[in-house]
């Protein structure tokens, strides 16, 4: 089915907002087209893009339109009062006719081959699942969606309930409480894939509920760090860049990326908090102190890669493939 897009697929474009509409209370959708009039780059379900809002302010949003329609790209943005300013900027200042730069697409949440798909969405987490569902439907793949939110008015794209009759269960919390994950995930099914996107509490609960499922069954996408992921003692350590032999010291209050930036060594970054996977770097020697919310347990245990935007070292020196 879909494969993870490589860094060579990522481009930076100047685009214009050609349409915008409210998808639900607090959710606004934006359609972008290239300023030069050329088609947008191809993408697969699960991909996200970076909106480069101002110097130092960029945010990631899932593409939620039709991958077969490349006149525009669409994202939907939830206004979050307790956010770091990105969603408020988008809601308050981005309007039809405005131009901005965007970067992408990246896909760290690809749709894998499976015998059936169990989709679970919470709030704005519905966005990356919409094109996945459309692809499953087009290819005759069995699937179901359980979609939770605070209330019906806060849940965008609820038209899918009637569009895909019998396959979608809407679960507004104000009338039904929390999604019954025990009933949904109690019995593991070989060959099935569970896809979930939404608030951290939902992702954590789904992760817990799938502990007895076969390895590789669960697929999550986080846009915020797991609770406590960035915590821990920060000690000084060294990094050695294998390609040049350069040795740099990472101080207690610095990240690896900070130190690399000062040394003029460019590593692509986006979220700077270990959720997007953009800065994934190969570790040739040493033991990382993984503080990301992107790698799975197997990848962390292998210590073959790390997120240099937030992770540190459990040893005196890390040797990186840089």
């Amino acid at each position: 089915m879909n494969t993870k897009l490589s860094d060579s697929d990522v481009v930076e474009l100047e685009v214009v907002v050609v349409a915008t509409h409210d998808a639900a209370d607090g959710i606004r959708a934006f359609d972008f087209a290239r300023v030069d009039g050329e088609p947008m780059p191809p993408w697969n379900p699960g991909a996200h893009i970076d909106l480069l809002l101002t110097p130092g302010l960029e945010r990631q949003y899932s593409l939620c339109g039709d991958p077969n329609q490349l006149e525009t790209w669409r994202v939907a943005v939830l206004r979050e009062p307790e956010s770091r300013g990105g969603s408020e900027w988008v809601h308050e200042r981005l309007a039809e006719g405005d131009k901005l730069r965007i970067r992408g697409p990246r896909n760290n949440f690809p749709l894998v081959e499976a015998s059936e798909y169990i989709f679970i969405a919470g709030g704005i987490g519905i966005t990356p699942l919409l094109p996945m569902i459309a692809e499953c439907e087009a290819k005759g793949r069995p699937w179901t969606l359980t979609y939770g939110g605070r209330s019906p008015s806060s849940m965008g794209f609820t038209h899918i309930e009637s569009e895909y009759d019998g396959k979608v269960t809407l679960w507004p919390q104000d009338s039904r409480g929390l999604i019954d994950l025990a009933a949904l995930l109690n019995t593991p099914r070989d060959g099935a894939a569970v896809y979930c996107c939404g608030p951290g509490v939902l992702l954590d609960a789904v992760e817990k509920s799938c502990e007895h499922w076969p390895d590789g069954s669960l697929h999550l996408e986080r846009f915020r760090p797991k609770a406590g992921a960035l915590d821990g003692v920060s000690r000084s350590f060294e990094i050695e860049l294998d390609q040049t032999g350069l040795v740099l010291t990472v101080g207690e209050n610095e990240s690896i990326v900070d130190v690399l930036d000062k040394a003029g060594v460019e590593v692509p970054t986006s979220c700077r908090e270990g959720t997007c996977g953009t800065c994934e770097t190969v570790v040739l020697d040493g033991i990382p102190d993984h503080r990301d919310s992107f790698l799975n347990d197997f990848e962390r245990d292998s210590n073959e890669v790390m997120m240099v935007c937030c992770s540190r070292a459990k040893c005196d020196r890390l040797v990186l493939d840089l």
Side-chain angles (χ1 to χ4, degrees):
M1 202 169 280
N2 296 315
T3 57
K4 183 175 177 178
L5 295 168
S6 68
D7 287 340
S8 63
D9 298 304
V10 175
V11 296
E12 188 170 314
L13 300 170
E14 185 177 14
V15 298
V16 60
V17 180
V18 294
T20 179
H21 70 274
D22 290 331
D25 290 348
I27 298 176
R28 188 169 298 162
F30 298 85
D31 291 350
F32 304 112
R34 289 177 61 150
V35 169
D36 61 14
E38 293 295 315
M40 301 296 282
W43 59 280
N44 294 323
H48 71 268
I49 60 173
D50 307 328
L51 302 191
L52 311 181
L53 304 175
T54 65
L57 182 62
E58 59 182 71
R59 293 293 182 267
Q60 299 77 45
Y61 298 105
S62 297
L63 290 169
C64 59
D66 181 354
N68 298 309
Q69 190 276 103
L70 295 179
E71 287 80 11
T72 59
W73 280 351
R74 172 176 291 176
V75 300
V77 180
L78 170 67
R79 184 168 191 165
E80 300 182 82
E82 298 181 2
S83 77
R84 296 168 294 150
S87 70
E88 183 177 0
W89 194 101
V90 170
H91 274 255
E92 287 289 330
R93 302 175 65 175
L94 196 58
E96 189 171 330
D98 287 347
K99 297 177 182 178
L100 76 160
R101 298 198 69 79
I102 61 176
R103 185 193 303 121
R106 289 190 178 90
N107 197 343
N108 302 317
F109 194 41
L111 191 62
V112 301
E113 292 284 353
S115 60
E116 63 173 310
Y117 299 85
I118 302 166
F119 295 110
I120 304 170
I124 196 63
I126 188 62
T127 52
L129 304 185
L130 292 172
M132 293 185 184
I133 287 169
E135 180 164 314
C136 288
E137 187 71 10
K139 295 188 174 181
R141 307 278 184 173
W143 65 272
T144 60
L145 167 68
T146 303
Y147 176 21
R150 294 188 308 275
S151 64
S153 64
S154 71
M155 299 167 65
F157 311 102
T158 53
H159 65 274
I160 58 176
E161 183 182 29
S162 58
E163 184 176 347
Y164 302 117
D165 187 39
K167 296 183 179 182
V168 176
T169 301
L170 299 183
W171 204 293
Q173 186 175 346
D174 61 357
S175 60
R176 301 194 64 176
L178 300 177
I179 294 173
D180 188 353
L181 296 178
L184 192 60
L185 300 170
N186 185 56
T187 305
R189 302 206 279 278
D190 286 337
V194 179
Y195 275 79
C196 181
C197 188
V201 289
L202 174 63
L203 297 174
D204 292 343
V206 169
E207 195 170 31
K208 182 72 174 176
S209 298
C210 285
E211 286 180 343
H212 60 299
W213 281 62
D215 290 343
S217 299
L218 179 60
H219 305 266
L220 302 176
E221 182 163 53
R222 295 180 184 270
F223 285 101
R224 289 185 175 178
K226 295 175 67 173
L230 300 174
D231 297 343
V233 176
S234 293
R235 55 187 291 276
S236 178
F237 59 94
E238 293 181 337
I239 54 172
E240 178 181 338
L241 311 188
D242 182 70
Q243 296 174 23
T244 63
L246 182 64
V247 175
L248 302 169
T249 299
V250 180
E252 295 179 3
N253 298 314
E254 297 177 298
S255 70
I256 295 176
V257 160
D258 290 337
V259 173
L260 292 172
D261 284 345
K262 291 177 185 177
V265 180
E266 184 176 351
V267 173
T269 64
S270 185
C271 71
R272 296 257 176 169
E273 55 186 12
T275 58
C276 71
T278 303
C279 68
E280 182 176 309
T281 300
V282 173
V283 179
L284 299 176
D285 193 28
I287 303 174
D289 179 4
H290 295 290
R291 301 189 183 186
D292 66 276
S293 301
F294 179 80
L295 298 173
N296 60 36
D297 290 341
F298 175 80
E299 291 167 328
R300 287 192 186 89
D301 291 342
S302 74
N303 289 322
E304 294 179 353
V305 297
M306 69 182 298
M307 302 302 143
V308 292
C309 69
C310 64
S311 295
R312 303 188 66 80
K314 292 183 177 180
C315 56
D316 293 331
R317 179 180 290 191
L318 292 172
V319 181
L320 304 178
D321 188 16
L322 293 172

